[in-house]
Amino acid sequence: MEHKANISWDEYFMGMALLSAQRSKDPNTKVGACIVDPDHKIVSNGYNGMPTGCDEDHLSWNKGADLDSKYLYVCHAEFNAILNTRDGAALKGCTLYVTLFPCNECTKAIIQKGIKEVVYLENKYANTTETKASALMLELAGVKTRQYKGRVPKLEF
């Protein structure tokens, strides 16, 4: 007798991205990412956070100006997932599940590493120049993008 999985691969991997996002200390936007190979094996996870070794008590999580802006310090979830791959694992042909559509800087790394598909949960900055540039680069590089439309698991801690 064949058993049917309770959740789809998309649900599972977006759930992993959502779970990873819970590690973020960002008070406004918690983002998580999960990179998966063509055999449905998780290659890496990441979340938005400060660089390793930087004391987070000395860096800002504010949306402020000058040195009081988190945007100067935070490593995005996709970038961390790419950097967190073990033993230089190849990412060519992998799929990236991410809770927020990637910015233009993360998009460059996604393309350079050969990730073939980006599955995102939301695109709340769709009308910004940076996100428009991301979408253009992904299209030109032949990276497939699609919004996740499945069930979103509730994570309560």
Side-chain angles (χ1 to χ4, degrees):
M1 177 185 226
E2 188 177 324
H3 294 283
K4 190 172 181 179
N6 291 330
I7 61 173
S8 70
W9 286 118
D10 274 357
E11 288 174 309
Y12 178 65
F13 296 128
M14 188 56 75
M16 294 299 293
L18 286 161
L19 183 62
S20 294
Q22 297 306 304
R23 288 283 311 145
S24 175
K25 292 182 181 176
D26 191 320
N28 299 300
T29 307
K30 295 181 182 302
V31 181
C34 180
I35 302 175
V36 181
D37 73 14
D39 294 323
H40 298 111
K41 305 291 186 249
I42 295 173
V43 177
S44 185
N45 290 310
Y47 57 91
N48 56 323
M50 299 299 179
T52 302
C54 290
D55 185 346
E56 294 182 353
D57 293 334
H58 292 92
L59 298 175
S60 178
W61 281 106
N62 297 323
K63 294 181 179 182
D66 298 322
L67 292 179
D68 188 38
S69 173
K70 68 180 180 179
Y71 302 112
L72 297 173
Y73 311 111
V74 172
C75 294
H76 289 178
E78 313 91 294
F79 188 61
N80 273 328
I82 289 168
L83 293 175
N84 289 341
T85 56
R86 299 189 193 282
D87 304 322
L91 299 180
K92 189 171 185 160
C94 287
T95 299
L96 169 70
Y97 288 83
V98 63
T99 58
L100 185 63
F101 194 88
C103 75
N104 60 307
E105 293 299 322
C106 290
T107 292
K108 294 173 195 176
I110 290 164
I111 293 167
Q112 290 296 90
K113 293 304 273 182
I115 291 172
K116 68 166 175 117
E117 183 177 17
V118 174
V119 181
Y120 62 94
L121 184 60
E122 62 179 325
N123 190 357
K124 65 181 183 180
Y125 302 112
N127 293 323
T128 66
T129 301
E130 292 82 0
T131 302
K132 289 176 183 178
S134 297
L136 177 59
M137 286 188 286
L138 291 165
E139 180 183 345
L140 291 173
V143 178
K144 181 181 174 185
T145 61
R146 64 183 166 93
Q147 186 168 16
Y148 174 77
K149 298 288 189 183
R151 184 174 51 128
V152 177
K154 283 194 169 198
L155 302 174
E156 296 181 29
F157 298 94

